Every structure is written in C-alpha cells, then in structure tokens.
Short mmCIF file of all heavy atoms in Angstrom, two decimals:
data_model
loop_
_atom_site.label_atom_id
_atom_site.label_comp_id
_atom_site.label_asym_id
_atom_site.label_seq_id
_atom_site.Cartn_x
_atom_site.Cartn_y
_atom_site.Cartn_z
N SER A 6 -13.79 -0.47 20.18
CA SER A 6 -13.90 0.93 20.64
C SER A 6 -12.97 1.88 19.87
O SER A 6 -12.66 2.97 20.36
CB SER A 6 -13.62 1.03 22.14
OG SER A 6 -14.51 0.21 22.87
N GLU A 7 -12.52 1.48 18.69
CA GLU A 7 -11.62 2.34 17.92
C GLU A 7 -12.38 3.51 17.31
O GLU A 7 -13.49 3.35 16.79
CB GLU A 7 -10.94 1.55 16.81
CG GLU A 7 -9.87 2.33 16.06
CD GLU A 7 -9.02 1.46 15.16
OE1 GLU A 7 -9.50 0.39 14.74
OE2 GLU A 7 -7.87 1.84 14.87
N ARG A 8 -11.79 4.68 17.36
CA ARG A 8 -12.40 5.86 16.78
C ARG A 8 -12.07 5.95 15.29
O ARG A 8 -11.00 5.50 14.86
CB ARG A 8 -11.92 7.12 17.50
CG ARG A 8 -12.34 7.18 18.97
CD ARG A 8 -11.83 8.45 19.62
NE ARG A 8 -12.25 8.54 21.02
CZ ARG A 8 -11.94 9.53 21.84
NH1 ARG A 8 -11.19 10.53 21.38
NH2 ARG A 8 -12.37 9.53 23.08
N PRO A 9 -12.98 6.54 14.49
CA PRO A 9 -12.72 6.65 13.06
C PRO A 9 -11.39 7.33 12.72
O PRO A 9 -10.71 6.91 11.77
CB PRO A 9 -13.92 7.47 12.56
CG PRO A 9 -15.01 7.15 13.52
CD PRO A 9 -14.33 7.01 14.86
N LYS A 10 -11.00 8.35 13.49
CA LYS A 10 -9.75 9.04 13.19
C LYS A 10 -8.55 8.11 13.33
O LYS A 10 -7.62 8.13 12.50
CB LYS A 10 -9.58 10.25 14.12
CG LYS A 10 -8.36 11.11 13.80
CD LYS A 10 -8.31 12.34 14.69
CE LYS A 10 -7.09 13.21 14.35
NZ LYS A 10 -7.05 14.42 15.22
N GLU A 11 -8.57 7.28 14.35
CA GLU A 11 -7.48 6.33 14.56
C GLU A 11 -7.47 5.27 13.46
O GLU A 11 -6.41 4.90 12.93
CB GLU A 11 -7.62 5.67 15.93
CG GLU A 11 -7.54 6.65 17.10
CD GLU A 11 -8.04 6.04 18.39
OE1 GLU A 11 -8.68 4.96 18.34
OE2 GLU A 11 -7.81 6.63 19.46
N LEU A 12 -8.64 4.78 13.11
CA LEU A 12 -8.74 3.78 12.05
C LEU A 12 -8.30 4.36 10.71
O LEU A 12 -7.58 3.70 9.94
CB LEU A 12 -10.17 3.26 11.95
CG LEU A 12 -10.45 2.25 10.84
CD1 LEU A 12 -9.59 1.01 11.00
CD2 LEU A 12 -11.93 1.90 10.80
N ASN A 13 -8.70 5.59 10.43
CA ASN A 13 -8.32 6.22 9.17
C ASN A 13 -6.80 6.30 9.04
O ASN A 13 -6.24 6.05 7.96
CB ASN A 13 -8.93 7.62 9.07
CG ASN A 13 -8.86 8.19 7.67
OD1 ASN A 13 -9.48 7.68 6.75
ND2 ASN A 13 -8.09 9.25 7.50
N ALA A 14 -6.12 6.62 10.14
CA ALA A 14 -4.65 6.71 10.12
C ALA A 14 -4.04 5.34 9.81
O ALA A 14 -3.06 5.24 9.06
CB ALA A 14 -4.14 7.24 11.45
N ARG A 15 -4.61 4.27 10.36
CA ARG A 15 -4.07 2.94 10.10
C ARG A 15 -4.32 2.52 8.65
O ARG A 15 -3.47 1.86 8.03
CB ARG A 15 -4.69 1.93 11.06
CG ARG A 15 -4.26 2.11 12.51
CD ARG A 15 -4.45 0.84 13.32
NE ARG A 15 -5.83 0.42 13.44
CZ ARG A 15 -6.28 -0.77 13.04
NH1 ARG A 15 -5.47 -1.63 12.47
NH2 ARG A 15 -7.57 -1.08 13.20
N ILE A 16 -5.47 2.89 8.11
CA ILE A 16 -5.75 2.57 6.70
C ILE A 16 -4.78 3.32 5.79
O ILE A 16 -4.28 2.78 4.80
CB ILE A 16 -7.21 2.90 6.36
CG1 ILE A 16 -8.16 2.04 7.19
CG2 ILE A 16 -7.47 2.66 4.87
CD1 ILE A 16 -9.63 2.44 7.05
N GLU A 17 -4.51 4.59 6.11
CA GLU A 17 -3.56 5.37 5.32
C GLU A 17 -2.19 4.71 5.30
O GLU A 17 -1.53 4.66 4.25
CB GLU A 17 -3.47 6.79 5.86
CG GLU A 17 -4.69 7.65 5.57
CD GLU A 17 -4.60 9.03 6.19
OE1 GLU A 17 -3.79 9.23 7.13
OE2 GLU A 17 -5.35 9.93 5.75
N VAL A 18 -1.74 4.22 6.45
CA VAL A 18 -0.43 3.56 6.53
C VAL A 18 -0.42 2.30 5.67
O VAL A 18 0.52 2.05 4.90
CB VAL A 18 -0.08 3.23 7.99
CG1 VAL A 18 1.14 2.31 8.06
CG2 VAL A 18 0.18 4.50 8.78
N ALA A 19 -1.48 1.49 5.78
CA ALA A 19 -1.54 0.24 5.02
C ALA A 19 -1.61 0.49 3.52
O ALA A 19 -0.96 -0.21 2.73
CB ALA A 19 -2.75 -0.58 5.47
N LEU A 20 -2.39 1.50 3.11
CA LEU A 20 -2.49 1.81 1.68
C LEU A 20 -1.17 2.38 1.17
O LEU A 20 -0.72 2.04 0.06
CB LEU A 20 -3.63 2.80 1.44
CG LEU A 20 -3.85 3.22 -0.02
CD1 LEU A 20 -4.08 2.01 -0.92
CD2 LEU A 20 -5.03 4.18 -0.13
N THR A 21 -0.52 3.23 1.94
CA THR A 21 0.77 3.78 1.54
C THR A 21 1.79 2.68 1.33
O THR A 21 2.56 2.69 0.35
CB THR A 21 1.29 4.78 2.59
OG1 THR A 21 0.35 5.85 2.73
CG2 THR A 21 2.63 5.35 2.18
N GLN A 22 1.81 1.69 2.23
CA GLN A 22 2.75 0.59 2.10
C GLN A 22 2.50 -0.19 0.81
O GLN A 22 3.44 -0.55 0.09
CB GLN A 22 2.65 -0.34 3.30
CG GLN A 22 3.63 -1.52 3.24
CD GLN A 22 3.56 -2.41 4.47
OE1 GLN A 22 2.93 -2.04 5.47
NE2 GLN A 22 4.17 -3.57 4.41
N ALA A 23 1.22 -0.47 0.52
CA ALA A 23 0.89 -1.19 -0.71
C ALA A 23 1.28 -0.38 -1.94
O ALA A 23 1.80 -0.93 -2.92
CB ALA A 23 -0.60 -1.51 -0.74
N MET A 24 1.06 0.93 -1.91
CA MET A 24 1.43 1.79 -3.04
C MET A 24 2.94 1.84 -3.21
O MET A 24 3.44 1.84 -4.35
CB MET A 24 0.85 3.19 -2.82
CG MET A 24 -0.67 3.24 -2.92
SD MET A 24 -1.37 4.83 -2.36
CE MET A 24 -0.69 5.96 -3.57
N ASP A 25 3.69 1.90 -2.11
CA ASP A 25 5.15 1.93 -2.20
C ASP A 25 5.68 0.63 -2.79
O ASP A 25 6.60 0.63 -3.63
CB ASP A 25 5.76 2.15 -0.81
CG ASP A 25 5.58 3.57 -0.30
OD1 ASP A 25 5.23 4.46 -1.10
OD2 ASP A 25 5.79 3.79 0.91
N GLU A 26 5.12 -0.50 -2.36
CA GLU A 26 5.57 -1.79 -2.89
C GLU A 26 5.24 -1.91 -4.36
O GLU A 26 6.06 -2.41 -5.15
CB GLU A 26 4.91 -2.91 -2.08
CG GLU A 26 5.44 -2.99 -0.65
CD GLU A 26 4.62 -3.93 0.22
OE1 GLU A 26 3.53 -4.36 -0.23
OE2 GLU A 26 5.05 -4.23 1.34
N LEU A 27 4.06 -1.46 -4.76
CA LEU A 27 3.69 -1.51 -6.17
C LEU A 27 4.58 -0.59 -7.00
O LEU A 27 4.97 -0.93 -8.12
CB LEU A 27 2.22 -1.14 -6.34
CG LEU A 27 1.67 -1.23 -7.77
CD1 LEU A 27 1.77 -2.66 -8.29
CD2 LEU A 27 0.22 -0.75 -7.83
N ALA A 28 4.91 0.57 -6.45
CA ALA A 28 5.77 1.52 -7.18
C ALA A 28 7.14 0.90 -7.45
O ALA A 28 7.70 1.06 -8.55
CB ALA A 28 5.92 2.81 -6.37
N CYS A 29 7.70 0.20 -6.47
CA CYS A 29 9.01 -0.45 -6.67
C CYS A 29 8.92 -1.50 -7.77
O CYS A 29 9.82 -1.60 -8.62
CB CYS A 29 9.48 -1.09 -5.37
SG CYS A 29 10.02 0.07 -4.11
N GLU A 30 7.85 -2.26 -7.78
CA GLU A 30 7.71 -3.29 -8.81
C GLU A 30 7.44 -2.66 -10.17
O GLU A 30 7.92 -3.17 -11.20
CB GLU A 30 6.58 -4.24 -8.41
CG GLU A 30 6.94 -5.08 -7.20
CD GLU A 30 5.75 -5.80 -6.60
OE1 GLU A 30 4.60 -5.35 -6.80
OE2 GLU A 30 5.98 -6.82 -5.93
N ALA A 31 6.70 -1.57 -10.20
CA ALA A 31 6.45 -0.88 -11.47
C ALA A 31 7.75 -0.35 -12.05
O ALA A 31 8.00 -0.45 -13.26
CB ALA A 31 5.45 0.25 -11.26
N LYS A 32 8.59 0.23 -11.19
CA LYS A 32 9.86 0.80 -11.66
C LYS A 32 10.83 -0.27 -12.13
O LYS A 32 11.70 -0.01 -12.96
CB LYS A 32 10.49 1.64 -10.56
CG LYS A 32 9.77 2.97 -10.33
CD LYS A 32 10.48 3.87 -9.34
CE LYS A 32 10.31 3.41 -7.93
NZ LYS A 32 10.86 4.39 -6.95
N SER A 33 10.68 -1.50 -11.63
CA SER A 33 11.55 -2.58 -12.09
C SER A 33 11.25 -3.00 -13.52
O SER A 33 12.09 -3.60 -14.19
CB SER A 33 11.39 -3.80 -11.17
OG SER A 33 10.19 -4.50 -11.44
N ARG A 34 10.05 -2.71 -13.99
CA ARG A 34 9.59 -3.06 -15.34
C ARG A 34 9.70 -4.56 -15.60
O ARG A 34 9.90 -5.00 -16.74
CB ARG A 34 10.39 -2.27 -16.39
CG ARG A 34 10.37 -0.78 -16.20
CD ARG A 34 11.35 -0.08 -17.11
NE ARG A 34 10.91 -0.08 -18.49
CZ ARG A 34 10.22 0.89 -19.07
NH1 ARG A 34 9.86 1.96 -18.36
NH2 ARG A 34 9.87 0.81 -20.34
N ASP A 35 9.57 -5.35 -14.54
CA ASP A 35 9.74 -6.79 -14.64
C ASP A 35 8.39 -7.47 -14.49
O ASP A 35 7.84 -7.53 -13.37
CB ASP A 35 10.71 -7.28 -13.57
CG ASP A 35 11.01 -8.77 -13.69
OD1 ASP A 35 10.39 -9.44 -14.54
OD2 ASP A 35 11.87 -9.26 -12.93
N PRO A 36 7.83 -8.05 -15.55
CA PRO A 36 6.52 -8.69 -15.45
C PRO A 36 6.52 -9.93 -14.57
O PRO A 36 5.46 -10.41 -14.17
CB PRO A 36 6.18 -9.05 -16.90
CG PRO A 36 7.49 -9.06 -17.61
CD PRO A 36 8.35 -8.05 -16.94
N ALA A 37 7.71 -10.44 -14.23
CA ALA A 37 7.78 -11.62 -13.36
C ALA A 37 7.26 -11.34 -11.96
O ALA A 37 6.94 -12.27 -11.21
CB ALA A 37 9.22 -12.13 -13.28
N HIS A 38 7.16 -10.07 -11.57
CA HIS A 38 6.62 -9.71 -10.26
C HIS A 38 5.10 -9.82 -10.21
O HIS A 38 4.50 -9.67 -9.14
CB HIS A 38 7.01 -8.28 -9.90
CG HIS A 38 8.46 -8.09 -9.60
ND1 HIS A 38 9.13 -8.84 -8.66
CD2 HIS A 38 9.38 -7.23 -10.12
CE1 HIS A 38 10.40 -8.46 -8.61
NE2 HIS A 38 10.57 -7.49 -9.48
N PHE A 39 4.48 -10.07 -11.35
CA PHE A 39 3.03 -9.97 -11.45
C PHE A 39 2.40 -11.22 -12.05
O PHE A 39 3.04 -11.96 -12.80
CB PHE A 39 2.64 -8.78 -12.35
CG PHE A 39 3.12 -7.45 -11.87
CD1 PHE A 39 4.40 -7.00 -12.18
CD2 PHE A 39 2.30 -6.63 -11.10
CE1 PHE A 39 4.85 -5.76 -11.73
CE2 PHE A 39 2.74 -5.40 -10.65
CZ PHE A 39 4.02 -4.96 -10.98
N SER A 40 1.15 -11.42 -11.71
CA SER A 40 0.29 -12.36 -12.43
C SER A 40 -0.51 -11.57 -13.46
O SER A 40 -0.98 -10.47 -13.16
CB SER A 40 -0.68 -13.05 -11.47
OG SER A 40 0.00 -13.78 -10.48
N MET A 41 -0.62 -12.11 -14.65
CA MET A 41 -1.37 -11.41 -15.69
C MET A 41 -2.86 -11.76 -15.58
O MET A 41 -3.24 -12.92 -15.64
CB MET A 41 -0.85 -11.78 -17.08
CG MET A 41 -1.51 -10.96 -18.18
SD MET A 41 -0.95 -11.43 -19.82
CE MET A 41 0.80 -11.07 -19.69
#
C-alpha cells in the first residue's frame, strides 16, 4: 500500500547514498576500490 511519493523519497535516499559512496572512492583515486 505504499504511495509513489513515499517510494520516490526512499529511492532518492538510496541513490544519494550510492552516489556519495562512489564520490568518496572516486576522490581517493585508488583503483583498488574497484573491479575493472
């Protein structure tokens, strides 16, 4: 029974977290954080 507005907010939070984590790894410039 979740409404789209509530779901959209949860997706935004999850995507923001993934983007923040990727940004930290990108700024480290360390390829060891990644699989090629």
Side-chain angles (χ1 to χ4, degrees):
S6 303
E7 187 169 25
R8 296 180 178 179
K10 185 176 181 180
E11 298 165 347
L12 177 60
N13 194 65
R15 291 201 296 122
I16 297 172
E17 288 177 341
V18 169
L20 180 56
T21 300
Q22 181 178 348
M24 292 169 64
D25 287 346
E26 291 169 349
L27 184 61
C29 288
E30 292 167 336
K32 286 186 285 188
S33 76
R34 305 170 72 94
D35 184 354
H38 290 306
F39 300 85
S40 299
M41 186 182 299

